Amino acid sequence: MKVICTEKSQILATRLARALKTTVVDVKYSRFPDGELYLLAGELDEETIIVSSVVDNDALVQLLLLIDACDSSDLRLVIPYMGYARQDKQFRKGELLSARAVARAISRGVSECITVNIHEPDVLKFFEAPARNISIARDIGAYIKTLNLKNPLILAPDDGALAFAGQVASEGGWEYDHLEKTRLSGEQVTMAPKVISVASRPVVIVDDIISTGGTIATATGMLYTQGATDVYAACVHGVLTGGAYVRLMEAGVRDVICSDTIERGCSRISAANQIAHALQTRMNR
Ligand code: R5P
């Protein structure tokens, strides 16, 4: 069994291969003069695990090329971050279901797919192969433990992320809550935890994805006004689009922490062990 990956999932793929005591197939990633992607892969195995976060369109095309190349082998797919998964419903007439289109395209001919903290688990039904989602919430909790914060409050940015915050908090036996928005006027909105006060304690805002960081940046200032001593932001997938990291730090966030499902300078948590465990569970069945 060998691991193979797209270009922007090299670090996680290597960690996963180590956890599985195997190797990563050497791939040269380049382009034709017209910009089309060109991949040259080393020797494949009968049994292959592709690791590919769909972080952009190039990653998606590289993934399709790898799937095609592994056609004849027992192929399992690990999609640590699945881009396009958030467009999973038709919110306006005529909108296309990107989540379904991508799930179908990448799962044909595959024997199993694994995702990590996918934004909406319902998306798994679009895959044309058995698909399951794993959570690294406890690993985020374990990292937060290393910060040695005194009595932290784990805070979800909205009630949709409350269960996730609960999983993170269970690692340290901490309290958790979610932010609630109150409209003060046409333009003015305030945010505070629904139940638990942040006065004189550190807060860690946790979410599956930080994209623009807009909600967390706005909430941070308000939490300090409410007496929080420190505000941290932690997520699984650090999409960090359009200057989000800078926006968060400028807003007073002490540190932004994410995992290696998207490889960033602030990727401090690895999903490799949980993914290895999930793959082994099937292997030993
Ligand atoms: C969406 O529902 C996700 O769980 C995140 O809360 C969202 O993607 C974060 O967006 P942003 O970082 O742009 O506020």
Side-chain angles (χ1 to χ4, degrees):
M1 180 241 299
K2 280 186 182 173
V3 171
I4 193 165
C5 64
T6 51
E7 195 172 9
K8 290 183 181 159
S9 295
Q10 297 173 50
I11 297 174
L12 179 51
T14 306
R15 289 173 177 158
L16 177 65
R18 286 202 176 158
L20 294 171
K21 299 191 173 24
T22 183
T23 53
V24 184
V25 177
D26 184 42
V27 180
K28 291 201 171 29
Y29 311 91
S30 60
R31 286 179 191 274
F32 288 104
D34 61 1
E36 288 179 358
L37 294 165
Y38 171 86
L39 268 59
L40 182 68
E43 205 175 324
L44 299 168
D45 199 84
E46 286 294 290
E47 204 186 326
T48 310
I49 296 164
I50 297 181
V51 181
S52 176
S53 277
V54 179
V55 289
D56 53 28
N57 295 340
D58 280 359
L60 180 58
V61 174
Q62 288 183 350
L63 172 57
L64 293 173
L65 296 177
L66 291 182
I67 292 169
D68 183 67
C70 299
D71 203 21
S72 58
S73 61
D74 174 15
L75 179 58
R76 288 192 287 164
L77 202 57
V78 178
I79 309 293
Y81 170 69
M82 183 179 160
Y84 290 102
R86 281 181 284 175
Q87 184 64 34
D88 64 324
K89 290 181 190 70
Q90 210 178 37
F91 299 96
R92 285 171 50 197
K93 190 168 180 293
E95 271 182 354
L96 305 189
L97 289 185
S98 322
R100 185 180 64 191
V102 170
R104 283 179 176 170
I106 63 179
S107 57
R108 278 185 205 127
V110 165
S111 55
E112 186 185 23
C113 303
I114 294 177
T115 59
V116 179
N117 291 96
I118 194 163
H119 180 64
E120 175 49 68
D122 260 5
V123 167
L124 297 182
K125 69 173 186 267
F126 295 141
F127 283 81
E128 294 186 353
R132 59 192 161 128
N133 183 57
I134 62 166
S135 175
I136 60 160
R138 299 290 298 254
D139 302 79
I140 293 180
Y143 183 84
I144 293 170
K145 258 189 193 163
T146 68
L147 300 174
N148 291 319
L149 303 175
K150 199 168 161 234
N151 189 28
L153 175 65
I154 309 300
L155 199 54
D158 51 48
D159 58 352
L162 186 64
F164 178 72
Q167 289 166 23
V168 173
S170 68
E171 187 63 22
W174 303 304
E175 288 186 306
Y176 66 100
D177 197 353
H178 72 84
L179 279 168
E180 198 169 53
K181 283 186 190 171
T182 311
R183 187 157 290 284
L184 301 176
S185 66
E187 277 143 33
Q188 249 194 324
V189 171
T190 185
M191 279 186 267
K194 186 173 165 61
V195 182
I196 302 170
S197 167
V198 296
S200 307
R201 67 193 302 190
V203 177
V204 187
I205 305 177
V206 298
D207 207 351
D208 58 340
I209 299 170
I210 298 178
S211 184
T212 66
T215 310
I216 298 181
T218 309
T220 298
M222 296 181 182
L223 293 169
Y224 281 126
T225 307
Q226 292 155 29
T229 54
D230 294 289
V231 178
Y232 292 80
C235 69
V236 177
H237 313 295
V239 173
L240 302 177
T241 194
Y245 183 86
V246 174
R247 185 173 310 118
L248 289 166
M249 298 305 273
E250 290 294 309
V253 172
R254 300 281 183 243
D255 202 3
V256 178
I257 298 142
C258 62
S259 84
D260 56 2
T261 59
I262 300 178
E263 295 170 358
R264 300 282 183 213
C266 55
S267 295
R268 313 257 172 69
I269 299 150
S270 182
N273 286 342
Q274 296 289 354
I275 296 170
H277 180 70
L279 289 163
Q280 280 160 338
T281 307
R282 183 263 203 173
M283 279 189 254
N284 299 336
R285 225 185 287 151

